Amino acid sequence: MKISCAVLEDEPKALTLITEYIEKIEFLDLRFYTSDPVELLNYTSGHSVELIFLDINLPGTSGFEVAFNISPKTKIIFTTAYSDYAVDSYLLNTVDYLLKPITFDRFKIAVDKARTITEKESVPVKEVIQPGAFFVKSGKSFLQLYWSKIDYIEGLGEYLVLHTGSLKTIIYKRMKEMEEICPEFFIRVHNSFIINTGSITHVESNHVVVGKVKIPIGRKYRQEFMKLLNRSSI
């Protein structure tokens, strides 16, 4: 199985070295390389790559900023000349950090990690899903969540936040896609909110209260929500 990859590196020697290392690895398929962050983002917006070698120190920006604008499905191996960097891997699919100067042996360890993760992700998980449950990918892990325990779903651009009590789980999916797969006891009440009707505490004039959280009822969703409310009233 080949892993498609790209490189963003602003140091010419490091860029040459990494591309030469990639050519020596049979399971890596180099699709694109550049020293310009904008060129990489333009490429990844129209082409899918599974792994990116990403320099942290870039002119006018950082590798972390670039990473937040790449699909969270893309795995990242950061390259840096400094050992004191840390990153919030909750949103970044970070496989490894390579400290310059990068040796081939250390490079091989990092890409072997990427291959192992890719192979594990290709294994079907349907057999282990419990009734009423589903899996979401968060960083390097898969979390099993239960629909009935999700209080509400909040949209943040191309991401969603699943609120389960005090737990927040961020996933890469659009609201429309989530609305289509939610069980029937969920209802959309706003452009940015889908709620679990079983978690409603009470309803105010233009808000529905889920636990202690006030969620606005959007004008275009209000009529459908009130129909539901009337059907459930005694």
Side-chain angles (χ1 to χ4, degrees):
M1 179 178 62
K2 290 267 190 179
I3 298 175
S4 58
C5 59
V7 183
L8 172 58
E9 173 59 67
D10 76 321
E11 297 178 25
K13 289 184 178 179
L15 179 59
T16 299
L17 184 69
I18 292 171
T19 55
E20 287 178 351
Y21 283 172
I22 290 172
E23 290 173 357
K24 293 180 180 180
I25 306 293
E26 187 178 39
F27 59 82
L28 293 182
D29 178 17
L30 180 60
R31 301 285 181 85
F32 185 78
Y33 60 90
T34 182
S35 59
D36 186 337
V38 175
E39 286 185 358
L40 178 74
L41 291 174
N42 286 340
Y43 181 82
T44 55
S45 67
H47 303 81
S48 176
V49 290
E50 297 168 284
L51 175 65
I52 294 179
F53 297 89
L54 190 53
D55 189 9
I56 291 179
N57 296 288
L58 296 164
T61 185
S62 75
F64 298 151
E65 290 296 326
V66 174
F68 275 109
N69 289 283
I70 293 170
S71 167
K73 296 179 181 179
T74 303
K75 297 167 187 62
I76 295 170
I77 294 177
F78 283 109
T79 61
T80 178
Y82 302 94
S83 60
D84 57 348
Y85 274 105
V87 64
D88 180 2
S89 60
Y90 189 59
L91 287 179
L92 300 178
N93 201 355
T94 308
V95 173
D96 206 346
Y97 297 86
L98 293 177
L99 189 62
K100 299 173 184 177
I102 302 166
T103 66
F104 180 73
D105 288 344
R106 182 64 182 87
F107 181 86
K108 184 69 164 55
I109 290 170
V111 297
D112 281 342
K113 281 186 187 178
R115 179 169 65 169
T116 299
I117 294 169
T118 301
E119 288 174 348
K120 285 182 179 178
E121 289 177 352
S122 66
V123 176
V125 295
K126 288 184 179 180
E127 292 79 4
V128 297
I129 298 178
Q130 297 298 315
F134 60 99
F135 280 94
V136 297
K137 191 170 188 306
S138 178
K140 298 177 183 178
S141 304
F142 285 92
L143 303 177
Q144 183 171 233
L145 299 178
Y146 289 84
W147 287 109
S148 61
K149 294 183 179 180
I150 297 174
D151 296 318
Y152 64 98
I153 300 164
E154 181 181 6
L156 295 173
E158 294 188 344
Y159 295 90
L160 297 177
V161 184
L162 311 183
H163 294 264
T164 307
S166 60
L167 176 68
K168 296 180 182 180
T169 304
I170 299 177
I171 64 172
Y172 181 67
K173 190 173 286 292
R174 294 181 181 276
M175 285 291 283
K176 182 63 177 175
E177 295 172 331
M178 195 67 179
E179 186 180 12
E180 291 173 353
I181 64 173
C182 279
E184 60 183 9
F185 52 87
F186 281 82
I187 185 170
R188 191 166 183 177
V189 295
H190 188 273
N191 283 341
S192 300
F193 292 98
I194 298 172
I195 64 169
N196 182 342
T197 56
S199 298
I200 296 173
T201 303
H202 62 280
V203 179
E204 299 178 357
S205 57
N206 293 313
H207 293 82
V208 55
V209 180
V210 176
K212 296 181 180 179
V213 180
K214 266 189 173 185
I215 295 174
I217 303 171
R219 183 177 299 177
K220 72 176 183 178
Y221 302 101
R222 183 174 178 79
Q223 184 176 358
E224 195 62 32
F225 178 70
M226 292 309 296
K227 285 181 182 178
L228 172 69
L229 200 65
N230 289 329
R231 288 198 304 268
S232 304
S233 300
I234 60 173

